[in-house]
Amino acid sequence: MIPDIQIFRVRRACAHISTLICGLVGASSLYWAIHSGQPLPLIGFYSFVTALSPFIYLLNRRNVRKLREGYEDSAVYRELLDQVNDAIIVMSFSEPYRILEGNRAACLRLGYKREELIRLAASDITDIRQTVELLRRKRPNHWYSADYREMNYRTKEGRHVPVEVNIRFIRIKGQRALLAVGRDLSERKAMENKIRHMAYYDDLTGLPNRRLFREQLDKAIAETRASRQGLAVVYLDIDRFKLVNDSFGHDYGDILLMQLAERFTRCVRRSDFLARSEGDEFALYYTGINTKADMDKLADGIRGALEQPLLIGEYQIHITASIGISHYTGDSCENADLMMKYADIALSFSKEKGKNNHQIFNAEMNSISLTRLTMESELRRAIARSEFVLMYQPQIDIESGALVGMEALIRWMHPERGMVPPKDFIPIAEETGLIVPIGEWVMHEACKQNKLWQDGGYPHVPVSVNLSMRQFMQHNLRERIESILSETGLPPQYLDLEITESMTMDVEFATSSLLELKELGVKISIDDFGTGYSSLYLLKKFPIDKLKIDRSFVRDIMIDPNDAAIVTTIISMTHHLNLLVIAEGVETEEQMRFLHRNKCNQIQGFWFSPPISADDIVNIMLQNSVRLAAAAQETPAESATGQA
């Protein structure tokens, strides 16, 4: 055991006292023997004892000097040990494994004073079973071999501190003992936990991420395979989240995601699992799902969790979700990656079917998904090879029948499949971002063609081009359009940009962007009016020229009183706002007459003409010129007849 200053002082005092007592006893005994006439041998003995006192003093002084040197060496040794950050503890070799010594770090880590620490046994600071296990692994012929082991030290307050212990046999004054050097792992464990959390959990919502979801799903699939119970993997995507994010800002978008995560936690049981896959996409798996009815019930429950609006700032937002589900029955060899892929494919089909619905994966979807991938590749090739063509649908003044404009509509001339309609490739283009270069091509070609018509002496009428959401959100949209007008030479008043109501949800951004576009001199129309979220107040603020009534209302105006009332109201409202109104999707004369009676300004649809090629538009322009010329000649004749 390491000597301390108290032991040194006691031994030094005993040495001095014993020397003094020996000298005093010898001198007083000699004095008494001489004066009392004692025999000579006795006087000689007392004389020897008295003469021995200096030698005893010198011997004790040498021992004290050695004791002081030992103390000084041990003090240096203790100081060195106290400078070590690791907790060093010396324990007895046999039960109850008493603590014999500990350095300052050990006292600090465990919360004991040294006097308290050396009264403890190993079982007071750690699990005695771990200690015994370590001891049993020791062999007498491995005295100095070290054994490293992670264990927990228990502090005075009862807190557990993780440590890495290096324990070995030592000898102290010929006796066997155990030396345990413990390194505090608290910081390392905290860092490991932090790294693990970063690797397996989403920072924003605190939910597990895709990596942890895949690992847990693999385990769940193995359990399902053993129990033959069904399992459902659910992928869900928040509908129109990008629009909400762009409208309110990313901070509010993050708040929305956190609220959604909290909502979705209500939809899972302890045996289920919820994760945030990426962006606005969440992944779940449910155990014990065996039938289609079970999966339908799951999807209904998720949609039910979204029924109540979410609060973002002062706004209440109604959210819907598209859901894809894959089902594992336990009798096949699918793994987590495959089940996640199937759920993702089903999610894509859910989005294609109008969103806010759920689709369950089947084998046919897989082949369709491969077709979609092929189409994406072919779309990129179509852009590079200019395989697109434009068709034009005339817009007619309902009063005079004159051509007042035309809408440019894209078609894809596939080298093998022939004409591909927009509904088959536009959704894929929007999803992949290819809609931006395609949209720019449409605008450039439409402006170039309109300029050619005007240079050829044909009527000067605007051409309408649809802007996609991705195009409208471009920060350099004004510069791109200005560049196209400059390259083609088309005066800006002959370009009509059509946007949808959904693009105006971010009122501040929409107003700013539309004002920039109006500064160019172009016209702006709101397409598919009546299907979005525009209010009269916002319409009054936006610098727009025309509203297009959506074809879904026009189609049934002759058979559905509600649609007729909606169309009539839109026309009346538009006139009060001093805007033009055009109805698209007019297919019958009865529809045209209804719109004429209610003072709709313009019409567009198959009743007058389907989308046709640029060459066919020229024929309509010529017919329109002849009609206008004839009308101009009839007017003076009618005036002369009236005067006569």
Side-chain angles (χ1 to χ4, degrees):
M1 184 186 301
I2 302 173
D4 57 23
I5 190 169
Q6 288 84 0
I7 297 175
F8 165 72
R9 288 173 178 171
V10 169
R11 289 184 176 180
R12 183 179 62 181
C14 290
H16 290 317
I17 291 172
S18 62
T19 303
L20 180 61
I21 291 174
C22 183
L24 290 175
V25 170
S28 60
S29 298
L30 179 62
Y31 178 81
W32 170 78
I34 293 174
H35 286 81
S36 60
Q38 295 297 322
L40 186 60
L42 186 60
I43 294 174
F45 172 75
Y46 288 138
S47 298
F48 174 76
V49 171
T50 303
L52 192 61
S53 296
F55 294 101
I56 295 175
Y57 172 75
L58 292 175
L59 181 62
N60 283 336
R61 184 175 180 181
R62 186 181 67 176
N63 291 337
V64 168
R65 184 167 58 251
K66 289 182 178 181
L67 193 61
R68 181 186 295 111
E69 291 174 355
Y71 167 72
E72 291 175 350
D73 291 343
S74 64
V76 172
Y77 177 60
R78 169 173 287 281
E79 184 63 27
L80 289 174
L81 291 181
D82 286 342
Q83 296 303 316
V84 177
N85 289 326
D86 294 337
I88 299 177
I89 295 176
V90 178
M91 295 177 288
S92 63
F93 180 75
S94 57
E95 293 187 18
Y97 311 113
R98 305 294 307 181
I99 296 177
L100 306 178
E101 190 57 79
N103 67 345
R104 182 182 297 133
C107 296
L108 291 175
R109 298 283 188 277
L110 298 172
Y112 291 99
K113 295 180 180 179
R114 180 176 174 274
E115 294 78 10
E116 296 173 327
L117 183 64
I118 60 178
R119 290 198 295 266
L120 300 177
S123 59
D124 295 321
I125 64 170
T126 188
D127 187 351
I128 191 62
R129 290 173 298 178
Q130 295 184 18
T131 305
V132 171
E133 181 182 350
L134 286 174
L135 293 174
R136 287 175 177 173
R137 292 170 58 181
K138 291 296 177 183
R139 297 291 183 270
N141 56 340
H142 294 101
W143 286 108
Y144 298 103
S145 63
D147 189 4
Y148 291 88
R149 178 74 175 272
E150 286 190 13
M151 60 174 59
N152 289 322
Y153 277 175
R154 189 166 49 249
T155 66
K156 185 177 181 180
E157 295 79 16
R159 183 171 55 88
H160 287 83
V161 179
V163 290
E164 181 184 59
V165 177
N166 168 7
I167 189 166
R168 67 173 66 205
F169 289 106
I170 60 172
R171 286 187 179 275
I172 298 179
K173 296 182 178 180
Q175 299 295 320
R176 288 186 295 177
L178 290 171
L179 174 67
V181 180
R183 175 158 297 176
D184 192 345
L185 300 180
S186 299
E187 291 186 4
R188 194 180 86 182
K189 290 291 184 181
M191 183 59 66
E192 289 176 355
N193 291 335
K194 183 177 180 180
I195 293 173
R196 173 179 170 78
H197 193 276
M198 292 173 62
Y200 287 101
Y201 289 86
D202 174 52
D203 287 338
L204 179 64
T205 62
L207 293 176
N209 61 14
R210 183 184 182 89
R211 181 181 292 107
L212 184 55
F213 180 81
R214 183 172 58 245
E215 291 183 5
Q216 294 298 318
L217 180 57
D218 264 329
K219 296 177 182 177
I221 288 175
E223 294 173 0
T224 300
R225 190 177 295 122
S227 64
R228 296 292 179 179
Q229 292 293 316
L231 178 144
V233 179
V234 179
Y235 265 31
L236 65 90
D237 189 88
I238 307 305
D239 296 334
R240 302 164 64 86
F241 176 75
K242 185 180 186 304
L243 179 60
V244 175
N245 211 14
D246 293 338
S247 300
F248 295 98
H250 291 281
D251 290 339
Y252 283 104
D254 290 345
I255 293 173
L256 178 63
L257 286 174
M258 288 188 285
Q259 292 184 28
L260 288 169
E262 192 276 330
R263 291 275 184 97
F264 293 144
T265 55
R266 307 175 193 172
C267 303
V268 294
R269 304 160 301 180
R270 296 190 64 178
S271 59
D272 306 326
F273 201 83
L274 166 66
R276 182 188 176 198
S277 181
E278 58 183 0
D280 60 331
E281 189 174 276
F282 293 82
L284 308 90
Y285 71 71
Y286 292 86
T287 58
I289 305 301
N290 299 303
T291 65
K292 181 180 182 299
D294 292 338
M295 290 182 275
D296 292 338
K297 186 177 179 180
L298 286 180
D300 291 340
I302 293 172
R303 283 195 292 269
L306 298 176
E307 286 182 354
Q308 294 298 320
L310 292 99
L311 189 64
I312 300 182
E314 58 185 9
Y315 301 97
Q316 286 189 341
I317 304 296
H318 290 269
I319 294 297
T320 60
S322 300
I323 301 172
I325 305 174
S326 62
H327 187 221
Y328 181 71
T329 58
D331 55 0
S332 55
C333 58
E334 281 88 352
N335 56 19
D337 289 330
L338 206 54
M339 296 304 297
M340 292 166 67
K341 172 190 171 184
Y342 291 162
D344 199 23
I345 292 173
L347 175 61
S348 298
F349 277 82
S350 175
K351 294 178 182 178
E352 288 180 5
K353 291 186 178 295
K355 304 182 178 180
N356 192 25
N357 69 94
H358 72 276
Q359 297 294 318
I360 301 173
F361 176 82
N362 56 55
E364 184 181 356
M365 288 183 178
N366 199 26
S367 61
I368 296 175
S369 179
L370 293 175
T371 303
R372 285 170 53 86
L373 291 174
T374 303
M375 181 169 287
E376 178 184 345
S377 176
E378 291 178 344
L379 265 179
R380 296 182 184 277
R381 185 192 64 188
I383 295 173
R385 298 182 180 181
S386 301
E387 295 177 0
F388 299 109
V389 295
L390 287 186
M391 308 292 280
Y392 299 88
Q393 188 168 35
Q395 297 172 340
I396 305 301
D397 181 85
I398 200 169
E399 191 69 38
S400 65
L403 179 69
V404 292
M406 66 199 76
E407 182 178 3
L409 301 168
I410 190 172
R411 300 292 186 268
W412 180 11
M413 288 298 299
H414 194 280
E416 298 174 0
R417 296 198 295 270
M419 184 75 76
V420 180
K423 66 181 181 63
D424 291 344
F425 68 88
I426 290 298
I428 298 176
E430 290 178 340
E431 182 180 335
T432 58
L434 294 174
I435 194 67
V436 174
I438 291 175
E440 289 189 3
W441 179 87
V442 170
M443 188 180 300
H444 190 279
E445 287 299 307
C447 290
K448 183 175 71 173
Q449 183 61 64
N450 200 9
K451 176 61 174 172
L452 289 174
W453 284 327
Q454 293 181 8
D455 291 345
Y458 296 105
H460 290 205
V461 295
V463 60
S464 300
V465 175
N466 291 282
L467 280 182
S468 69
M469 174 67 77
R470 286 180 180 263
Q471 282 180 284
F472 188 66
M473 290 298 176
Q474 287 180 299
H475 67 279
N476 62 341
L477 177 62
R478 183 185 188 278
E479 289 75 13
R480 302 293 298 176
I481 295 176
E482 187 175 20
S483 174
I484 290 174
L485 291 172
S486 176
E487 291 174 7
T488 59
L490 181 70
Q493 64 268 27
Y494 295 113
L495 174 62
D496 188 351
L497 300 175
E498 295 188 0
I499 65 171
T500 60
E501 290 179 88
S502 58
M503 298 181 189
T504 63
M505 286 189 65
D506 185 345
V507 179
E508 183 178 350
F509 175 82
T511 303
S512 174
S513 297
L514 293 176
L515 286 173
E516 286 186 358
L517 296 177
K518 286 297 291 184
E519 289 176 359
L520 292 177
V522 301
K523 296 182 181 299
I524 298 175
S525 301
I526 291 188
D527 194 13
D528 302 332
F529 186 77
T531 61
Y533 305 96
S534 292
S535 67
L536 293 177
Y537 172 73
L538 295 181
L539 289 177
K540 183 179 177 181
K541 289 187 62 175
F542 294 144
I544 57 179
D545 302 287
K546 188 193 304 183
L547 292 184
K548 293 187 73 173
I549 303 175
D550 186 67
R551 66 180 65 249
S552 63
F553 298 118
V554 175
R555 181 179 58 243
D556 296 328
I557 55 175
M558 303 310 298
I559 59 175
D560 189 339
N562 292 327
D563 283 347
I566 291 173
V567 170
T568 302
T569 302
I570 292 175
I571 294 173
S572 175
M573 175 197 69
T574 306
H575 289 325
H576 281 88
L577 293 173
N578 296 318
L579 301 175
L580 292 175
V581 59
I582 179 173
E584 60 180 340
V586 179
E587 299 181 354
T588 67
E589 184 175 352
E590 289 78 11
Q591 292 172 344
M592 185 276 295
R593 293 186 183 280
F594 176 89
L595 294 168
H596 183 266
R597 286 197 306 270
N598 286 280
K599 302 186 183 318
C600 181
N601 300 114
Q602 301 169 8
I603 60 172
Q604 173 184 341
F606 278 67
W607 180 77
F608 184 82
S609 172
I612 54 180
S613 67
D615 292 338
D616 292 334
I617 280 287
V618 170
N619 295 330
I620 291 180
M621 288 180 174
L622 290 173
Q623 296 172 9
N624 183 72
S625 299
V626 171
R627 185 184 302 111
L628 292 178
Q633 290 177 0
E634 290 177 2
T635 301
E638 291 176 357
S639 300
T641 303
Q643 292 174 0

